[in-house]
């Protein structure tokens, strides 16, 4: 079953008109914002929403938000994982309200810092932690530390990964084995092939070849790719990657920012991985900016070995607001009261239900797509079978089709991420929310096949 492109274009036109008609207040705000904000949005990627403009939000709570035109949405985007806790979880809000009255940012530690460090130790089994404001920063700092410790210049990432706006990571591998700046890479400081090697996920042979010259400080990896659709590791991939990184003296940095969807200790604890460094951002503070990165005792002692007190504030690892009292209060409450095992016990069955609903429609209409799940995150890809690496997943992308499905959902009160086709569950997401998506997705599929 192939999708008729002229049908798709006319359905998209209809949905675009419906969106504009239904959102006059968002449209007015967008026009007003266009006079002070570049492209009318606070951040460049907000242009990517499938409507002519993004819906402006009035308020959000739990699994839902309401826009300024009064439409209520089931939020399956959840701030692309920043609000995986559900919007404004009560425990986090209470802690933030209380802390905001007692000081927001001090450049001094508070008791919550030690508490959160201990909680992260317990969850991830890594003994030493530091804080940053974003997962991007936590990744950047981990890379710097890896280069310092190993005295090696390069890092290695997997093709079509995303680790935030980390210069070294915006590189794409081509079929002929060459690599260059990723499409859309804005003003790269240097050609990323100077700083970075890139191989396909699940390619242990390629990984070994890249590590062999012993010039790679660290591998920066998500345990399953989540930013090009979901790409699962093949059996033995993680064990192989760990063995090879050890063999060639390369540190293994596991970025759990999205794969925390697997459980309270992320993919690392669920599958007993053994990273040298672990990064966790986005939902760690229930949406309040904050991130953490942790290391083994060996890495910690290497970091401290030639510590330079005089220059430690200008060494390229910083952030005036990092580890601030408000973030830490939010993290403490979120980790202890929101992102708990019992929350995952509710979220994961919802993702299974979502996957079943999508699968049924795919089968009913004979679409050459498939749906896959990782913990409380699920995603459909426009290819009939599971993919094994970033290139295969990227090849399956279909921007026009993706936008149509996103807009179709948005017009019927469901928000998916604006990038690929991801749905994330929060502790507040209900079976009713999921069944609403299943009905809407089925209707969209039916219209697409005619
Ligand atoms: C795996 C992963 N790591 C890091 C980041 C960066 O997070 P932030 O944009 O909050 O810095 C992202 C963002 O999508 C991500 O998906």
């Amino acid at each position: 079953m192939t999708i008729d492109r002229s049908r798709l274009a006319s359905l998209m036109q209809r949905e675009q008109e419906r969106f504009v008609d239904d959102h006059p207040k968002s449209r007015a705000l967008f026009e007003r914002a266009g006079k002070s904000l570049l492209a009318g949005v606070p951040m460049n990627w907000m242009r990517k929403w499938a409507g002519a403009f993004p819906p402006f939000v009035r308020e959000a709570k739990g699994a839902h938000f309401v826009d300024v035109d009064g439409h209520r949405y089931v939020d399956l985007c959840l701030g692309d994982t920043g609000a995986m806790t559900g919007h404004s979880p009560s425990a986090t809000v209470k802690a933030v309200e209380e802390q905001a009255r007692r000081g927001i940012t001090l450049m001094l530690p508070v008791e919550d810092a030690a508490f959160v460090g201990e909680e992260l130790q317990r969850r991830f089994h890594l003994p030493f932690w530091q804080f940053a404001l974003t997962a991007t920063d936590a990744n950047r700092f981990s890379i710097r530390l890896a280069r310092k410790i190993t005295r090696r210049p390069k890092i290695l990432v997997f093709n079509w990964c995303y680790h935030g706006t980390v210069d070294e990571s915006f590189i794409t591998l081509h079929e002929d084995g060459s690599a260059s700046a990723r499409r859309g890479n804005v003003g790269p400081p240097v050609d990323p092939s100077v700083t970075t090697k890139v191989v396909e996920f699940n390619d242990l042979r390629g990984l070994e070849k890249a590590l062999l010259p012993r010039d790679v400080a660290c591998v920066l990896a998500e345990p399953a790719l989540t930013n090009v659709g979901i790409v699962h590791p093949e059996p033995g991939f993680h064990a192989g990657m760990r063995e090879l990184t050890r063999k060639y003296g390369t540190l293994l940095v596991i970025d759990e920012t999205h794969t925390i969807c697997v459980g309270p200790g992320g993919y690392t604890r669920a599958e007993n991985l053994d990273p040298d460094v672990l990064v966790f951002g986005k939902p760690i503070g229930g949406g309040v900016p904050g991130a953490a990165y942790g290391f083994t005792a060996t890495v910690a002692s290497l970091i401290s070995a030639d510590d330079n007190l005089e220059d430690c504030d200008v060494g390229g690892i910083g952030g005036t607001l990092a580890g601030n009292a408000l973030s830490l209060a939010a993290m403490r409450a979120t980790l202890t009261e929101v992102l708990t095992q019992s929350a995952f016990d509710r979220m994961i069955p919802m993702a299974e239900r979502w996957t079943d609903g999508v699968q049924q429609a795919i089968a009913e209409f004979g679409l050459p797509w498939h749906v896959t799940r990782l913990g409380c995150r699920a995603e459909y890809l426009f290819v009939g079978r599971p993919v094994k690496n970033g290139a295969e997943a990227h090849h399956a992308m279909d921007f026009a089709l993706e936008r149509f499905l996103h807009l179709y959902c948005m017009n019927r009160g469901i928000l998916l991420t604006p990038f690929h086709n991801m749905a994330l569950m929060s502790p507040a997401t209900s079976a009713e929310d999921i069944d609403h998506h299943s009905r809407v997705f089925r209707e969209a599929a039916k219209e697409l096949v005619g």
Side-chain angles (χ1 to χ4, degrees):
M1 165 61 65
T2 52
I3 304 295
D4 177 338
R5 292 286 143 170
S6 60
R7 172 191 298 280
L8 175 60
S10 68
L11 287 172
M12 188 61 178
Q13 177 69 26
R14 184 194 74 193
E15 294 299 317
Q16 287 282 13
E17 285 162 14
R18 174 171 170 172
F19 182 84
V20 172
D21 289 348
D22 284 353
H23 295 84
K25 290 186 177 157
S26 279
R27 181 186 186 161
L29 279 176
F30 180 67
E31 284 167 1
R32 177 178 146 202
K35 299 191 177 103
S36 63
L37 306 178
L38 192 65
V41 287
M43 194 58 218
N44 62 318
W45 40 250
M46 289 190 197
R47 291 184 296 134
K48 215 170 170 183
W49 292 105
F53 45 84
F56 279 59
V57 177
R58 183 192 295 158
E59 61 186 305
K61 181 72 187 162
H64 302 99
F65 72 92
V66 178
D67 71 17
V68 290
D69 288 289
H71 305 291
R72 184 172 185 266
Y73 300 77
V74 175
D75 190 353
L76 298 173
C77 167
L78 294 168
D80 194 22
T81 312
M84 192 180 107
T85 51
H87 294 289
S88 298
S90 303
T92 311
V93 170
K94 183 166 176 279
V96 164
E97 277 173 358
E98 286 171 10
Q99 185 60 50
R101 279 192 285 271
R102 295 198 307 258
I104 293 172
T105 194
L106 300 143
M107 245 198 191
L108 284 169
V110 286
E111 193 256 338
D112 284 344
F115 183 98
V116 174
E118 288 151 10
E119 170 60 18
L120 292 169
Q121 267 178 348
R122 193 186 64 74
R123 280 188 183 229
F124 296 108
H125 299 189
L126 284 163
F128 294 103
W129 291 85
Q130 286 282 275
F131 298 102
L133 267 193
T134 64
T136 298
D137 271 354
N139 281 325
R140 289 179 39 232
F141 302 159
S142 300
I143 290 170
R144 277 186 175 266
L145 290 169
R147 282 196 297 246
K148 168 189 150 90
I149 290 171
T150 60
R151 298 195 170 85
R152 294 178 178 186
K154 298 209 182 218
I155 73 153
L156 184 144
V157 294
F158 293 104
N159 202 21
W160 296 109
C161 66
Y162 186 75
H163 295 283
T165 54
V166 176
D167 285 324
E168 290 91 335
S169 66
F170 288 123
I171 187 164
T172 311
L173 181 65
H174 305 293
E175 268 175 32
D176 65 2
S178 64
S180 64
R182 183 180 173 140
R183 205 176 82 194
N185 186 337
V186 180
V190 290
D191 180 336
S193 61
V194 173
T195 58
T196 310
K197 297 187 182 185
V198 53
V199 301
E200 289 294 357
F201 199 64
N202 282 320
D203 177 10
L204 286 174
R205 292 238 314 259
L207 180 63
E208 177 150 30
K209 202 168 149 217
L211 297 184
L212 195 69
R214 294 178 186 268
D215 56 355
V216 177
C218 68
V219 169
L220 173 61
E222 279 194 283
L225 299 183
T226 65
N227 284 299
V228 59
I230 295 170
V231 182
H232 295 275
E234 289 178 340
F237 177 66
H238 276 290
M241 177 157 69
R242 185 61 281 198
E243 201 181 308
L244 289 173
T245 44
R246 284 220 170 94
K247 181 171 170 190
Y248 295 105
T250 295
L251 295 179
L252 179 58
V253 182
I254 290 288
D255 180 353
E256 288 277 7
T257 301
H258 276 186
T259 46
I260 192 68
C261 61
V262 171
Y267 199 103
T268 293
R269 282 284 46 88
E271 298 295 328
N272 219 11
L273 305 187
D274 189 16
D276 298 297
V277 182
L278 185 146
V279 168
F280 174 27
K282 294 201 188 184
I284 188 172
V288 174
Y293 53 118
F295 348 89
T296 60
T298 309
V299 169
S301 69
L302 289 168
I303 294 170
S304 313
D306 58 347
D307 214 17
N308 178 343
L309 190 59
E310 190 174 350
D311 297 331
C312 71
D313 54 338
V314 287
I317 293 178
T320 312
L321 301 176
N324 70 73
L326 194 71
S327 303
L328 288 163
M331 288 183 204
R332 178 178 185 154
T334 304
L335 292 172
T336 52
E337 297 181 62
V338 186
L339 281 181
T340 57
Q341 184 61 54
S342 69
F344 282 93
D345 292 344
R346 290 198 298 282
M347 289 143 85
I348 292 173
M350 288 303 139
E352 288 168 347
R353 192 177 182 105
W354 189 90
T355 306
D356 290 346
V358 170
Q359 179 53 43
Q360 275 170 26
I362 289 175
E364 180 180 349
F365 298 106
L367 290 161
W369 306 348
H370 87 281
V371 58
T372 186
R373 184 183 63 80
L374 180 73
C376 67
R377 171 187 307 273
E379 171 115 23
Y380 50 85
L381 283 88
F382 303 125
V383 57
R385 54 176 171 71
V387 291
K388 75 166 196 295
N389 59 40
E392 285 185 16
H394 190 260
H395 186 68
M397 284 187 154
D398 184 327
F399 192 53
L401 191 52
E402 185 178 296
R403 286 178 82 72
F404 166 71
L405 285 158
H406 293 188
L407 190 56
Y408 196 95
C409 283
M410 210 155 35
N411 279 336
R412 290 155 185 82
I414 297 164
L415 193 80
L416 296 168
T417 47
F419 332 108
H420 48 103
N421 308 303
M422 192 274 290
L424 189 66
M425 311 300 141
S426 76
T429 310
S430 69
E432 198 184 309
D433 296 331
I434 300 307
D435 295 347
H436 178 41
H437 177 266
S438 300
R439 282 191 299 275
V440 168
F441 181 78
R442 184 186 173 278
E443 279 306 307
K446 189 173 166 195
E447 289 213 60
L448 273 173
V449 301

